[in-house]
Amino acid sequence: MHPDFESMMISKEEIAARVGEIAREIDRQYAGKNPLMVCVLKGSLFFFSDLLHAMEIPAEIDFISVSSYGAGDKSTGKITMKKDLSEPIEGRHVIIVEDIVDSGNTLSHLRDLFAERQPASFAICTLLDKPSRRVSDVKVDYCGFRIPDEFIVGYGLDYAERYRLENDIYVLKRSVYEK
Ligand code: IMP
Ligand code: MG
């Protein structure tokens, strides 16, 4: 284990098992609907890819990139769009796929933005949820794991662009970000 890590929180085996369960739920609920799956870059890249592989129904994909200002461990509440969707979503069944819901600012902003574009339906799928940190209210439709208030990295999640490529999810030592 990397010396910057406190402990492993979720192993790659546990992630794979849970991703399979979510894929089967989406398969059931979106049968015949050809949903548009939206990957929120960059953190949800591996989750998105594994989820899409595990799903069996037809689906289309698109990508969006937003930033919540700053490279630290806290969201500032200000969201800017770095890369928008490549196609309109009017009339589509949209499922937005995030790595983690923390304050909820990012997803409440995206939900409001997408609502203006009149999709047929809108759902939120997140690998991780830290409900104790919520500032903006968001309804999460699919959640991999509810986790306590720790800063975590790996499986796509980073701290200042580091540790994304770890296969498991780890708790980052406080000393790494409280400097
Ligand atoms: P929110 O807008 O506060 O809900 O923040 C969502 C974004 O903050 C996520 O998409 C992540 O990029 C980032 N984030 C929040 N908590 C963590 C964490 O524990 N590790 C890594 N990134 C995090
Ligand atoms: Mg993110």
Side-chain angles (χ1 to χ4, degrees):
M1 191 172 79
H2 194 290
D4 290 351
F5 300 159
E6 189 70 51
S7 56
M8 188 198 286
M9 184 183 270
I10 310 170
S11 70
K12 55 181 181 295
E13 292 80 12
E14 292 172 294
I15 296 169
R18 189 70 189 108
V19 168
E21 289 173 1
I22 297 172
R24 286 190 290 278
E25 250 182 89
I26 294 177
D27 276 346
R28 247 195 333 271
Q29 289 169 3
Y30 287 82
K33 288 187 171 162
N34 190 29
L36 178 69
M37 309 288 293
V38 175
C39 176
V40 185
L41 295 169
K42 308 171 193 169
S44 68
L45 177 69
F46 299 127
F47 174 46
F48 187 74
S49 167
D50 289 347
L51 181 66
L52 269 287
H53 268 142
M55 282 169 53
E56 289 181 356
I57 58 165
E60 292 176 25
I61 64 172
D62 206 343
F63 300 85
I64 197 165
S65 177
V66 293
S67 76
S68 48
Y69 279 111
D73 67 312
K74 291 201 176 60
S75 160
T76 57
K78 281 192 195 161
I79 311 296
T80 46
M81 177 77 74
K82 291 202 284 189
K83 184 219 165 295
D84 203 344
L85 296 171
S86 61
E87 305 285 340
I89 59 170
E90 190 178 343
R92 299 298 308 268
H93 292 285
V94 174
I95 305 178
I96 193 158
V97 181
E98 248 291 32
D99 51 359
I100 183 164
V101 187
D102 188 33
S103 70
N105 289 335
T106 306
L107 278 175
S108 64
H109 177 84
L110 287 177
R111 175 197 58 205
D112 296 347
L113 178 76
F114 280 27
E116 291 169 17
R117 302 181 184 181
Q118 302 184 306
S121 68
F122 176 78
I124 290 174
C125 174
T126 185
L127 176 67
L128 303 161
D129 187 3
K130 280 190 212 172
S132 64
R133 303 242 315 160
R134 203 69 95 251
V135 175
S136 302
D137 195 34
V138 285
K139 177 175 157 278
V140 173
D141 301 275
Y142 304 93
C143 170
F145 303 90
R146 269 184 201 90
I147 63 168
D149 182 13
E150 304 271 15
F151 197 86
I152 50 102
V153 294
Y155 193 62
L157 290 115
D158 72 309
Y159 174 67
E161 296 300 325
R162 291 155 69 200
Y163 321 111
R164 272 193 211 284
L165 306 187
E166 297 286 341
N167 293 319
D168 311 278
I169 292 175
Y170 296 91
V171 177
L172 191 61
K173 281 184 182 162
R174 284 185 174 273
S175 58
V176 176
Y177 58 91
E178 283 182 353
K179 272 182 206 153

